[in-house]
Amino acid sequence: MERFDEFENTLFLPPSDENVTIWRYMDFTRFVSLLNSGSLHLTRCDQFRDHFEGESQRQDLQARLEEYRNEFTNERTGSAHELPAILGRLWKKYQRQYVYINCWHISDYESAAMWRLYAKSADSIVIQTTYTKLRQALPACFYIGEVNYVDHQTYLNEAKEGFFNSMYKRKSFAHERELRICYIDTYEFQQDSKDPNAFFSTEPTRLFETVPVDLQALIESVRVAPEAPAWLVKLVRDSTIRFGYDFDVHQSSFSEYPFA
């Protein structure tokens, strides 16, 4: 499989303004988990609600077939006649079960849509930082870039992008303006796929990946949901102090009357 650093500059593109503001919405429980672990949590691709995450077009698979025909046609994988089906299953499993994702929202302001979608209760939180600070917080093996929103009926990835579809989503999700962290466990995939029979009959048990980060350097501010009670705002402040952090914590003014 490709070494992803060879096409990072074409697939994992930074925003045009690398100091752009980004947000991550969550509930209070996840926020406390973040403080406790000091780590970002990446979810396996096939665990997202969008069941088309990491899916490939047939044209992509055909191009991949031609590229790797000699590599995959051997005594273990079967004949050339069986190869398309084998390759399709292999590539789908690779992108959906060996790729881990963490999502952020790009915007200069808080988003009403994101509050509704990802922070549905009054005990919700949003953490705010910038692309630059997030990139600096991550090891080099964690890739980061803007998601591309495309029409999958007409779009075909170019060869230079490695037919890696986890940075592409349907246009229906364009409102998310997503900045995505990806961790690709290529080594584990290569080890597991050495035995095709076992590989296709079992599923990886690991559903997530974590990466330790310096939260104090990463997070610029923490905002509590606009409808949250005052005691929750205080609890969020107290929790950050208890875990040894000194974030700017305040309640979102999103629901305040916008006119003087």
Side-chain angles (χ1 to χ4, degrees):
M1 294 298 161
E2 294 85 359
R3 293 178 63 245
F4 285 89
D5 54 353
E6 293 178 355
F7 58 89
E8 181 182 7
N9 291 333
T10 59
L11 180 61
F12 297 95
L13 295 175
S16 55
D17 176 9
E18 295 193 10
N19 291 312
V20 68
T21 301
I22 58 174
W23 313 77
R24 182 162 171 81
Y25 293 80
M26 64 191 71
D27 59 29
F28 177 71
T29 302
R30 289 185 180 274
F31 178 67
V32 172
S33 176
L34 173 69
L35 298 180
N36 182 57
S37 66
S39 301
L40 295 180
H41 177 110
L42 289 80
T43 302
R44 203 173 75 190
C45 183
D46 65 347
Q47 299 299 301
F48 283 88
R49 286 177 292 179
D50 180 9
H51 299 299
F52 295 102
E53 288 277 5
E55 288 286 355
S56 299
Q57 284 189 328
R58 291 180 181 176
Q59 297 97 315
D60 288 347
L61 292 176
Q62 183 61 37
R64 172 68 61 177
L65 169 62
E66 295 303 321
E67 182 177 355
Y68 286 101
R69 180 178 297 276
N70 293 334
E71 178 179 345
F72 285 97
T73 305
N74 56 44
E75 67 278 3
R76 292 180 303 163
T77 57
S79 66
H81 177 73
E82 299 170 316
L83 183 56
I86 294 172
L87 183 63
R89 295 170 63 197
L90 186 76
W91 191 236
K92 177 177 180 179
K93 188 163 185 173
Y94 176 48
Q95 297 208 74
R96 288 183 55 78
Q97 297 187 354
Y98 291 85
V99 176
Y100 300 83
I101 294 169
N102 179 276
C103 310
W104 295 71
H105 173 64
I106 302 172
S107 178
D108 291 331
Y109 308 98
E110 293 176 48
S111 166
M114 293 299 105
W115 275 119
R116 288 195 299 267
L117 286 172
Y118 298 102
K120 298 179 180 179
S121 64
D123 68 344
S124 298
I125 310 284
V126 63
I127 59 175
Q128 176 267 317
T129 186
T130 66
Y131 166 83
T132 296
K133 288 188 175 181
L134 182 59
R135 176 64 275 179
Q136 291 173 345
L138 295 169
C141 60
F142 285 76
Y143 299 95
I144 179 171
E146 288 189 88
V147 167
N148 296 281
Y149 298 96
V150 299
D151 181 353
H152 283 292
Q153 296 299 319
T154 59
Y155 183 77
L156 179 64
N157 294 352
E158 296 181 12
K160 66 181 180 181
E161 294 163 346
F163 305 97
F164 183 69
N165 298 300
S166 294
M167 291 301 289
Y168 296 87
K169 295 188 70 172
R170 291 172 290 163
K171 285 185 176 293
S172 302
F173 292 91
H175 62 280
E176 293 181 348
R177 296 191 62 195
E178 184 180 336
L179 182 77
R180 176 168 284 193
I181 303 170
C182 282
Y183 175 72
I184 305 101
D185 199 340
T186 305
Y187 175 78
E188 184 174 336
F189 170 79
Q190 290 173 338
Q191 297 304 306
D192 291 349
S193 60
K194 288 180 178 178
D195 182 356
N197 292 328
F199 181 70
F200 288 128
S201 63
T202 61
E203 292 190 3
T205 57
R206 186 160 62 94
L207 298 178
F208 62 89
E209 176 72 27
T210 58
V211 53
V213 294
D214 182 349
L215 293 178
Q216 189 63 59
L218 172 63
I219 298 175
E220 292 189 343
S221 69
V222 177
R223 303 187 188 185
V224 186
E227 308 302 330
W231 63 263
L232 180 60
V233 180
K234 181 178 184 303
L235 178 60
V236 173
R237 289 197 183 103
D238 291 346
S239 297
T240 61
I241 294 171
R242 189 178 297 272
F243 281 100
Y245 297 107
D246 183 26
F247 303 139
D248 172 23
V249 178
H250 58 275
Q251 186 159 20
S252 168
S253 59
F254 177 79
S255 294
E256 292 183 1
Y257 187 65
F259 304 106

